[in-house]
Amino acid sequence: MHILLAEDDEQLSKLIIHKLQKNMNTVDYAPDGETALGYALMGGYDLIILDWMMPGLSGVQVCQQIREQKDQTPILILTAKDELDDKIRGFDSGADDYLVKPFEFEELVARIRALGKRKPLPLKEEVLSADNLYLDTKTHKVTRDGTEIILTQREYQLLSLLMMNKGQVLTREVILDRIWGYDAEVTRNTVDAYIRLLRKKVDKGYSKKLIKSIRGFGYTIQK
């Protein structure tokens, strides 16, 4: 499963991520509510785990905003709040399940397994497109106007991330986490460097530039 974990307790987060990855899951990590909401709205998750008390937006607020977008991805809220009124508020926000801290990891796994069965696997789009640029996710072949573009592995990962979210602005932090991992020792400048390399291969020689910089925010690819 592809899971989004939003939890501001770094020690607990590392433990949960380690345990989930041992169970063959892939995990994206958000340390606060605003980052979690940005990740969630990009889609592609089988399950979202939200801590109730986080900096910025709370887990309940994130859950509400996800549901306002008609996104029905299963959501599990983690919290130290165990009063009935708190549980009702959590469910009213759109959460599918509620787990009180401290908890046994085996129970978390069981809840995740049960929630994972609720969401049918979507049919993945095999060929991504943006204007006259095409990326085949099965063969990894990239073409523009019928001309093949040879990319490195990182360039391909970056381009596919942009194309899967075409029209949306991805921050450098989101790109770093999605491509290199949240604990990778790379900087925001690494993203800028790869964007420059990608532009030389994708946009050079074309009057219409597909990869755009949004000053102060990040990058996007035109539809």
Side-chain angles (χ1 to χ4, degrees):
M1 295 175 65
H2 189 190
I3 298 172
L4 171 61
L5 170 67
E7 165 65 66
D8 65 330
D9 184 326
E10 186 176 351
Q11 186 174 358
L12 177 60
S13 297
K14 288 182 177 180
L15 177 61
I16 293 176
I17 290 169
H18 174 70
K19 296 287 190 180
L20 292 177
Q21 289 176 337
K22 282 187 68 176
N23 282 269
M24 305 302 291
N25 300 292
T26 58
V27 185
D28 288 340
Y29 170 66
D32 57 69
E34 292 181 356
T35 303
L37 182 60
Y39 277 21
L41 294 183
M42 288 195 298
Y45 293 104
D46 300 301
L47 174 69
I48 298 172
I49 303 174
L50 301 172
D51 180 40
W52 186 311
M53 302 298 293
M54 291 188 291
L57 298 172
S58 71
V60 167
Q61 290 174 314
V62 174
C63 184
Q64 288 172 332
Q65 292 193 42
I66 290 172
R67 294 305 187 223
E68 286 172 3
Q69 300 301 314
K70 310 302 181 185
D71 186 333
Q72 295 305 309
T73 301
I75 296 176
L76 169 64
I77 288 183
L78 305 178
T79 181
K81 297 174 178 285
D82 60 356
E83 296 295 327
L84 178 59
D85 287 348
D86 294 320
K87 292 182 180 180
I88 292 173
R89 184 181 169 196
F91 286 120
D92 283 347
S93 73
D96 297 275
D97 204 352
Y98 187 105
L99 186 58
V100 177
K101 300 176 182 177
F103 51 81
E104 294 294 331
F105 185 74
E106 288 72 16
E107 182 178 4
L108 176 62
V109 170
R111 301 285 186 99
I112 289 172
R113 190 182 303 117
L115 289 172
K117 293 176 181 177
R118 298 186 188 179
K119 183 180 180 183
L121 292 174
L123 293 174
K124 291 186 177 180
E125 191 176 357
E126 290 186 359
V127 179
L128 305 175
S129 65
D131 195 66
N132 57 352
L133 177 69
Y134 295 90
L135 183 151
D136 190 315
T137 60
K138 290 185 70 176
T139 65
H140 290 191
K141 184 177 180 179
V142 177
T143 61
R144 185 166 182 182
D145 258 351
T147 301
E148 185 172 2
I149 300 171
I150 306 301
L151 301 176
T152 65
Q153 181 180 2
R154 288 292 189 203
E155 290 168 348
Y156 173 84
Q157 290 173 332
L158 177 55
L159 181 62
S160 61
L161 178 63
L162 290 171
M163 293 182 72
M164 283 189 289
N165 298 278
K166 64 183 177 182
Q168 299 183 45
V169 180
L170 303 183
T171 66
R172 291 175 177 83
E173 289 77 15
V174 166
I175 293 172
L176 278 172
D177 285 352
R178 285 292 185 97
I179 304 299
W180 284 271
Y182 80 97
D183 58 350
E185 295 182 0
V186 293
T187 67
R188 289 155 51 105
N189 291 336
T190 302
V191 175
D192 298 335
Y194 271 91
I195 287 288
R196 285 195 296 270
L197 292 171
L198 198 55
R199 278 176 167 156
K200 287 181 181 179
K201 296 184 177 183
V202 171
D203 283 335
K204 188 175 181 180
Y206 292 92
S207 58
K208 182 174 182 179
K209 310 303 181 185
L210 297 178
I211 301 173
K212 301 287 186 180
S213 301
I214 308 300
R215 188 173 181 139
F217 292 95
Y219 297 101
T220 186
I221 196 163
Q222 300 287 82
K223 293 186 177 182

